[in-house]
């Protein structure tokens, strides 16, 4: 079994990495599996920068190969905010039911509801150049929150081609079209080569 460590504490993300990488023969470990991990500050201004910061922190601290995901929701009517601040928007520990309600209220009367999820995945390994895998999915802010699947902003992120919010999709449906699903497939192709 090939092992890969994802530098994340986000349960929703980790679940999606496991759903996609375990069937490919990877055992996916996360930060809570590493002893004495010191969390890094996400000081980057773009997703790619933060992804590299998080993956490199694990590679530097433990001398092992690692991956990290930095992702978020860009809302066009809010100048692409919350963007890289998506986890911290309205407070890191604020429940998403509240964050989503505030976004729906702020969107009232705004015609342009376009938004996108963005995902940057970084891969790092001692004595190797880091690699980045990036993808997005174009969506709209829904008129109301719907669905109980997924995590974070999923209940208010509406995907027109399936006429559902991300939280109304099954795991398979979301992984097939999501920013993270698409970026993980690029990572997978690279890992297959790197681990030959
Ligand atoms: P780690 O850094 O430990 O991985 P984090 O949650 O702090 O966890 P980010 O800084 O990358 O990670 O923030 C990503 C945020 O973007 C996440 O907390 C959600 O609010 C949002 N987000 C990203 N992808 C999402 C998805 O597929 N569904 C719902 N919300 C998502």
């Amino acid at each position: 079994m090939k092992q890969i460590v994802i530098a994340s504490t986000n349960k929703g993300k980790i679940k999606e990495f496991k759903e996609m990488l375990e069937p490919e023969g990877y055992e996916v470990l996360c930060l809570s599996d590493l002893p004495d991990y010191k969390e890094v500050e996400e000081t980057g201004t773009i997703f790619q920068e933060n992804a590299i910061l998080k993956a490199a922190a694990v590679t530097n601290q433990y001398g092992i190969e690692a991956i990290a995901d930095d992702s978020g929701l860009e809302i066009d009517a809010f100048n692409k905010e919350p963007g890289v601040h998506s986890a911290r928007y309205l407070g890191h520990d604020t429940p998403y039911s509240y964050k989503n309600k505030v976004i729906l209220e702020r969107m009232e009367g705004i015609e342009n509801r376009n938004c996108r999820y963005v995902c940057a995945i970084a891969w790092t390994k001692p004595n190797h150049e880091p690699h980045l895998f990036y993808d997005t999915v174009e969506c709209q802010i829904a008129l109301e929150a719907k669905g109980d699947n997924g995590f974070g902003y999923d209940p208010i992120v509406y995907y027109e081609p399936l006429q559902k919010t991300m939280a109304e999709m099954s795991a398979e449906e979301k992984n097939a079209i999501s920013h993270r699903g698409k970026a993980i497939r690029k990572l997978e192709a690279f890992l297959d080569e790197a681990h030959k």
Side-chain angles (χ1 to χ4, degrees):
M1 185 81 118
K2 300 166 275 187
Q3 261 189 1
I4 191 89
V5 172
I6 169 151
S8 177
T9 55
N10 181 315
K11 292 197 173 73
K13 265 186 202 180
I14 296 166
K15 177 172 172 283
E16 292 179 4
F17 273 87
K18 287 188 171 178
E19 283 162 0
M20 292 195 59
L21 293 178
E22 284 179 353
E24 304 301 317
Y26 287 90
E27 184 189 4
V28 179
L29 304 178
C30 62
L31 292 180
S32 57
D33 298 310
L34 299 178
D36 305 321
Y37 176 71
K38 292 176 210 72
E39 215 165 309
V40 283
E41 226 186 304
E42 297 185 27
T43 51
T45 52
I46 57 169
F47 296 102
Q48 290 92 329
E49 235 180 310
N50 282 334
I52 289 189
L53 274 175
K54 291 189 272 191
V58 168
T59 290
N60 295 338
Q61 201 179 325
Y62 300 93
I64 56 170
E65 178 182 7
I67 53 175
D69 162 311
D70 202 66
S71 48
L73 177 65
E74 293 182 346
I75 302 175
D76 287 351
F78 300 172
N79 289 320
K80 303 209 171 153
E81 281 294 314
V84 286
H85 306 115
S86 292
R88 292 163 269 175
Y89 178 64
L90 300 171
H92 196 277
D93 298 325
T94 306
Y96 277 88
S97 53
Y98 179 77
K99 296 193 194 199
N100 289 340
K101 184 170 150 285
V102 170
I103 292 176
L104 291 180
E105 282 166 9
R106 281 186 65 192
M107 286 299 295
E108 265 171 37
I110 298 178
E111 210 168 303
N112 178 1
R113 304 187 77 90
N114 293 340
C115 65
R116 72 201 52 74
Y117 271 141
V118 176
C119 176
I121 298 174
W123 172 89
T124 54
K125 188 174 176 175
N127 307 316
H128 286 68
E129 281 295 309
H131 280 258
L132 280 164
F133 310 91
Y134 177 90
D135 225 311
T136 62
V137 59
E138 293 295 323
C139 296
Q140 269 101 43
I141 298 297
L143 294 170
E144 53 179 330
K146 274 192 183 163
D148 301 310
N149 301 332
F151 66 98
Y153 298 103
D154 283 346
I156 62 162
V157 174
Y158 183 78
Y159 183 67
E160 167 77 11
L162 293 184
Q163 310 242 318
K164 293 178 183 184
T165 69
M166 293 276 177
E168 292 180 294
M169 294 181 193
S170 65
E172 293 72 26
E173 281 175 323
K174 183 179 173 191
N175 293 336
I177 56 90
S178 78
H179 54 322
R180 180 168 302 104
K182 292 191 280 186
I184 292 177
R185 279 190 286 280
K186 293 177 181 171
L187 165 75
E188 237 172 66
F190 169 82
L191 288 179
D192 283 351
E193 282 301 309
H195 289 199
K196 251 185 188 157

